[in-house]
Amino acid sequence: MQRYTKTAMLLHWLIALMIVSAFFLGLTMVAIPGFTPTKLKYFSWHKWLGVTVLALAAIRLLWRLANPPPAPLVSIPSWQHKVADGVHYLLYFLMFAAPISGYLYGSAAGVPVVYLKLVTLPALIGPDPELKAILKTVHYVLVMTMAGVVVAHALAALKHHFIDRDITLKRMLPRV
Ligand code: HEM
């Protein structure tokens, strides 16, 4: 069986874990009323996770362009390959667009990201209340779209594993 490389697996599962964590942390933090220290701490963690996803997505894209994935499985019909390719392109787009929208929202709100409490990252735009409201909606729509696409992607992998009983999922898992 031709598996994905260790680098591909590491980037895939690390980014997946961070996206899921940023998503649920995002939902948790916005549900906290007022401005408590816990809420502010969660906002910082959320932003650190999101910025890390963005950096890892850039590394992953560059790495992927230089290292093609294993050949497609011949047992899978070509229309399914086309749908899967479309979903993967969409996921790559969202891995960039979702964190960038959050970053721009933070910039428009005038709150800089102090990454890991160590480095203040540059604001990409100046404070702008009108843009802030728009970017908040854009971030919301992108992360909810991402959640839907991630669930569809994961369900498809599970269907291949448990119903079709092919090696689609195994190729992305380390040998045990
Ligand atoms: C993959 C990366 C990311 C995911 C999955 C994600 C997900 C979320 C989610 C689910 C929410 C709650 C939305 C709501 O219910 O209103 C949220 C809110 C927020 N996110 Fe992100 N986010 C990501 C990256 C970022 C980044 C990089 C930043 C900034 C540097 C950021 C800044 C914010 C802020 C400030 C809010 C609060 C919005 C409000 O004031 O209501 N996010 N995010």
Side-chain angles (χ1 to χ4, degrees), residues 3 15 19 25 44 63 74-75 77 106-107 111 114-115 120 130 132 135 139 143 152 160-161 170-171:
R3 287 174 195 264
I15 291 176
I19 287 175
L25 190 56
S44 294
W63 193 89
V74 282
S75 59
S107 297
V111 188
V114 186
Y115 191 67
T120 304
E130 262 178 51
K132 176 185 159 190
L135 287 165
H139 188 53
V143 296
H160 277 288
H161 191 72
K170 274 195 195 138
R171 299 200 311 171

Side-chain angles (χ1 to χ4, degrees), residues 18-20 22-27 29-30 43 46-51 53-54 94-95 98-106 113 136 139-140 143-144 146:
M18 290 190 144
I19 287 175
V20 172
F23 182 78
F24 286 107
L25 190 56
L27 292 183
M29 73 193 191
V30 295
F43 263 69
H46 176 78
K47 291 177 177 185
W48 298 347
L49 275 169
V51 167
V53 166
L54 184 59
L94 290 166
M95 273 191 295
I100 287 172
S101 66
Y103 195 108
L104 288 172
Y105 169 66
V113 181
K136 184 174 170 172
H139 188 53
Y140 182 82
V143 296
M144 291 305 158
M146 193 183 211

Side-chain angles (χ1 to χ4, degrees), residues 4 11 13 35 43-44 47-48 66 125 137 148 166 170:
Y4 281 85
L11 286 168
W13 293 110
F35 272 102
F43 263 69
S44 294
K47 291 177 177 185
W48 298 347
I125 46 174
T137 308
D166 64 29
K170 274 195 195 138

Side-chain angles (χ1 to χ4, degrees), residues 7 17 22 111:
T7 312
L17 182 69
V111 188

